[in-house]
Amino acid sequence: MKWRVAGTLLASLAMIVTTAPPTAAVAQAGEAAGGVPGVRVPELSWTACADAPRVQCATAEVPLDYTRPRGRTVRLALARIPATDQARRAGSLVVNRGGPGYSAVDYLQGIVTGALPAPVNADVSARYDIVGVDPRGSGRSVPAVRCFADAAEAEALTRGVSNAPVTAAERRQRAKADARYASLCRKRSGDLLDHVSTVAIARDLDVVRAALGEDRLNYLGQSYGTYLGMVYANMFTGRTGRFVFDSVLDPTRRDTGAPGTTPSARTAGDVATRQTLEEFFRLCAEAGERCAFGDGEPEAAFERILDVLRRGPVRLRASDGTTVPLTYSFVVAWTGSWLYQPMFWNVQGGGAPFLKAVAEAIEDPSGPAGAALAADVVLLGQAGIGGSPYTSPIDAAYHAVTCGETDAPRSARALERLAAERDREAAPFGTLRAYADSACVPWRSANRLRHRGPWDARTEEPVLILSSRFDPATPVWSAQRVHRMLPGSRLLINEGWGHVAAQQSTCVVTATSRYLIDGTLPAEGATCRPDTIPFAAS
């Protein structure tokens, strides 16, 4: 597999004059930025980003603790792609990539270079400044949540830790590593961990809105960004402009539910991943020779792979004579990742070619097949794919937010029981998804800022909700529930596969753009076709 392919895969798992949206030059008199009296509205000074010169950067100081608005501050990193038609500029559109923790600078840089698809079309980018904000504790914001002093400390903790532990020894090692990781995050980040919450991030967004000179916030949130948007819309309903939610988290199930459950169990995200895998099997089987994996029976072939790897790693002999372990955890974790983007279901390094390579390497671990897969496993690991549960670029910020405001099992044993239960519903992804938040079991936070409702904000502008029919991260049923929560909202479904509907369908991008430009919503019950049909004949 080539480096550019690995990089593209990671990045992807990894955007006519009519009536203008509601904007204003300054916030209305008497408004308290962030909803808190005494908060200073920062002045923004935009310059070319040092590492992304086609994007403009600025910073904004906001209170660390909104109960002490003149106390310590954090410095938010902002990024902007200016409207290309300044004479007809309609205002600012703030985008949030999700995570929580994805860098806005990286996202906008990916859009301007073409490495990532834009969620809106040229009509929107002509009329709006596209603005991203690195949420407090993440990306280029200062201070950022840190859990490791250096790469050596990270490697020492994460060596051999499983993403999907299936043996008692693996579970014990994961529980020990989780406890150590939570301790290190507290040691390295201190009380910042007590002030990294979605409520605080929503207040930050409102300060940014005021700093941008907007009466109302126009917003496009993806994945976790939809949850942030829901919190903002319900905290600052009168300041909510045109909102788009793409790939939705159900806020009533993300944070709390049956005792001892995790967000993935409450939202059934593990079931959604399994359903997406079943779609991969269906399309692969229907494709015949166009799908390289399974000889027409891909599900049975996949189960044979997992049956072998559950018994222990297969030792692959690399071309330099070294041994590279192929583990159950790696195959399940990487499969759960490439399912996010159907464009990679039939690309070398992902999807059917990857599973074919695994099946061949299991049969020939010391020969050419084993050496070829060993090279791919090493390459994917170097790109941060399928490896440690603690060292991706967003992990520290993700855990700080998620563990600080969502309920989790209270013990490693309780998590183990839950994972086994979820695997009966959604194998092999029940354990993988449950353990995505295993660091929350030992996590300790003094954050008390949770938005517990209401969730039924009556915004002046209707919210446009987007979802793919088969999304392995944010299930379509979450979008349907949020649609029912928000009066006047409109739901548009991409009748296809993958996470972030705008990345899957030009029809979705067109509908989103039309709404942002002139407020026109798709027809009730309208759907979109996907751009990519995996394994389709060319």
Side-chain angles (χ1 to χ4, degrees), residues 248-536:
V248 178
L249 275 173
D250 180 347
T252 64
R253 303 190 183 203
R254 169 189 181 262
D255 293 353
T256 192
T261 56
T262 62
S264 65
R266 293 189 290 266
T267 64
D270 48 9
V271 172
T273 310
R274 177 68 203 190
Q275 288 185 353
T276 307
L277 179 66
E278 289 169 355
E279 282 292 288
F280 167 82
F281 292 148
R282 179 181 69 82
L283 293 167
C284 176
E286 290 177 356
E289 293 182 354
R290 293 192 303 276
C291 178
F293 176 64
D295 295 325
E297 297 183 340
E299 183 169 7
F302 183 73
E303 291 303 326
R304 286 194 295 272
I305 288 171
L306 296 190
D307 285 344
V308 171
L309 295 177
R310 282 191 191 97
R311 297 195 291 268
V314 172
R315 307 289 175 180
L316 307 177
R317 183 176 296 278
S319 58
D320 63 0
T322 60
T323 298
V324 176
L326 176 67
T327 66
Y328 174 90
S329 174
F330 178 86
V331 171
V332 171
W334 180 219
T335 299
S337 294
W338 54 252
L339 283 171
Y340 277 49
Q341 300 300 333
M343 68 185 72
F344 298 125
W345 289 10
N346 203 27
V347 172
Q348 179 67 26
F354 168 73
L355 294 178
K356 178 176 184 286
V358 170
E360 291 175 346
I362 287 174
E363 294 296 322
D364 180 31
S366 298
L373 183 61
D376 280 358
V377 170
V378 170
L379 191 62
L380 287 164
Q382 290 171 342
I385 296 171
S388 161
Y390 314 115
T391 56
S392 85
I394 73 163
D395 276 337
Y398 171 87
H399 289 117
V401 174
T402 304
C403 298
E405 64 187 17
T406 67
D407 290 346
R410 295 185 177 181
S411 68
R413 181 61 62 86
L415 177 61
E416 177 185 338
R417 289 194 295 267
L418 174 71
E421 174 188 315
R422 297 309 303 173
D423 258 351
R424 288 191 287 273
E425 296 287 329
F429 302 113
T431 292
L432 178 72
R433 298 299 188 219
Y435 274 88
D437 298 320
S438 64
C440 297
V441 174
W443 198 272
R444 298 295 176 264
S445 173
N447 169 45
R448 296 294 179 266
L449 294 177
R450 289 195 195 185
H451 184 83
R452 300 181 184 273
W455 299 105
D456 58 352
R458 291 185 173 273
T459 57
E460 183 171 328
E461 297 277 331
V463 176
L464 175 59
I465 300 170
L466 312 171
S467 179
S468 291
R469 180 68 66 185
F470 297 98
D471 182 333
T474 49
V476 66
W477 46 84
S478 288
Q480 292 164 337
R481 286 195 289 257
V482 169
H483 174 43
R484 291 193 292 268
M485 291 176 202
L486 291 174
S489 63
R490 188 62 49 84
L491 174 61
L492 177 64
I493 294 178
N494 163 47
E495 294 291 354
W497 314 266
H499 188 49
V500 183
Q503 291 187 203
Q504 318 306 335
S505 172
T506 302
C507 166
V508 168
V509 173
T510 300
T512 298
S513 301
R514 186 178 183 192
Y515 169 65
L516 290 170
I517 290 294
D518 65 16
T520 301
L521 290 167
E524 188 74 49
T527 60
C528 281
R529 287 182 56 81
D531 294 344
T532 299
I533 309 295
F535 311 110

Side-chain angles (χ1 to χ4, degrees), residues 3 6 10 44 62 64 76-77 79 82 88 105 114 123 161 225 261 297 339 365 374 401 403 440 452 459 495:
W3 267 110
L10 183 61
L44 304 179
V62 296
L64 172 69
L76 304 178
R88 298 190 301 155
V105 175
D123 292 338
V161 176
T261 56
E297 297 183 340
L339 283 171
V401 174
C403 298
C440 297
R452 300 181 184 273
T459 57
E495 294 291 354

Side-chain angles (χ1 to χ4, degrees), residues 170-182:
E170 288 176 340
R171 290 189 289 267
R172 286 193 299 270
Q173 184 184 25
R174 181 65 181 260
K176 183 178 178 181
D178 284 338
R180 176 62 175 158
Y181 173 72

